[in-house]
Structure formats: structure tokens, C-alpha cells
Amino acid sequence: MSGKNELASPEGAGQSLGEFLRNIRQTRKHTLREVEEGTEVSNAYLSQLENDKISKPSPHILHALAEFYKVPYEVLMQKAGYIKASPKLRAASLQLKGSVVPASLGPLSREEEEELLKYLAFLRSKQRKGKDE
């Protein structure tokens, strides 16, 4: 990865499909096994994707991953080289440390990103506590 913050740019610009998928998975704290269970794509295949051993998976697999990660299918299709990025696609979402957030938030400072991530962690911990009770 280059010196600029590629995760904060639209659709993870400059990242390979594998890097993009790995960053989303790690940010959302999923294991490869969890992704396998949610997508029915084998753990071994997912690992090869994330390590750029496979760079152009089938559109069917990309669709399953887009659904699981809740990212635009078009972004994954573009990263795999099936379609070209359009201005409309670039405007559709922004990256926040590997997760897609609405473009209506506009550009975020590093401090804002960190605060949003802290708040998200807080919300998730509250949800987990509610499920455990």
C-alpha cells in the first residue's frame, strides 16, 4: 500500500480486490470461517482471494460477498475488472477503514473516523450484552 490513506478514499482506490475484501473482513471482525458460513464460499477460496492468488472470481461469488459484507456489488465487480468505475459509482460510497459509509457524510477527518469507530464499537458491545441477557 502506498503512503496515502487508501482506505479513506472512494471504494478503497488503489487496493486490489483481495486487499479490499481482507480490510472489510478484518474491520468487521469476521473470521474466514464466518464468511464461509455466510456466503457458502470455501475458507480456502476466500483465503486465496484475500491473498490475491485469485483476482477475478465469478460474478456469483462476488454477489455473495457483496451481500454478506453489505457493500455495493458494482464495487466488487469493478475491483475484479468486470466493469469500469464510473463517476456515479465513485460517488455512491466512501471508505471508512474498509467499511462502506454513506457519501452524505462527506469527507471525514481522521479524528472523526476514530470517533465513529469508537461509537460503533460501543453500539456493538451494547447489542452483544442485550443478546446475552
Side-chain angles (χ1 to χ4, degrees):
M1 194 183 302
S2 68
K4 59 187 175 180
N5 186 359
E6 293 172 308
L7 291 178
S9 64
E11 293 84 58
Q15 291 181 327
S16 68
L17 174 63
E19 291 170 326
F20 184 77
L21 292 171
R22 183 176 53 250
N23 284 331
I24 292 172
R25 180 179 60 77
Q26 290 174 342
T27 298
R28 296 183 183 178
K29 308 225 185 298
H30 290 296
T31 64
L32 284 173
R33 295 268 183 225
E34 291 170 336
V35 179
E36 176 182 39
E37 290 171 12
T39 62
E40 298 183 359
V41 176
S42 80
N43 179 337
Y45 191 88
L46 292 166
S47 178
Q48 289 180 351
L49 267 175
E50 288 188 6
N51 289 299
D52 292 322
K53 304 249 187 278
I54 298 170
S55 59
K56 199 164 187 170
S58 75
H60 174 75
I61 287 176
L62 293 175
H63 188 266
L65 291 168
E67 290 286 315
F68 181 82
Y69 288 129
K70 299 191 180 358
V71 299
Y73 175 61
E74 294 80 9
V75 170
L76 298 186
M77 289 290 285
Q78 183 264 322
K79 290 215 157 282
Y82 287 106
I83 60 174
K84 293 192 186 288
S86 67
K88 184 177 178 183
L89 177 60
R90 284 190 288 275
S93 64
L94 295 172
Q95 283 301 319
L96 173 63
K97 299 204 182 217
S99 63
V100 177
V101 296
S104 62
L105 290 178
L108 300 173
S109 70
R110 179 168 294 212
E111 289 174 359
E112 290 171 323
E113 286 181 13
E114 289 172 6
E115 289 301 313
L116 279 172
L117 289 172
K118 285 179 192 175
Y119 186 65
L120 180 59
F122 167 74
L123 289 175
R124 287 180 175 168
S125 71
K126 273 181 60 174
Q127 289 172 344
R128 276 187 227 113
K129 286 179 185 174
K131 288 179 183 176
D132 294 338
E133 294 174 354

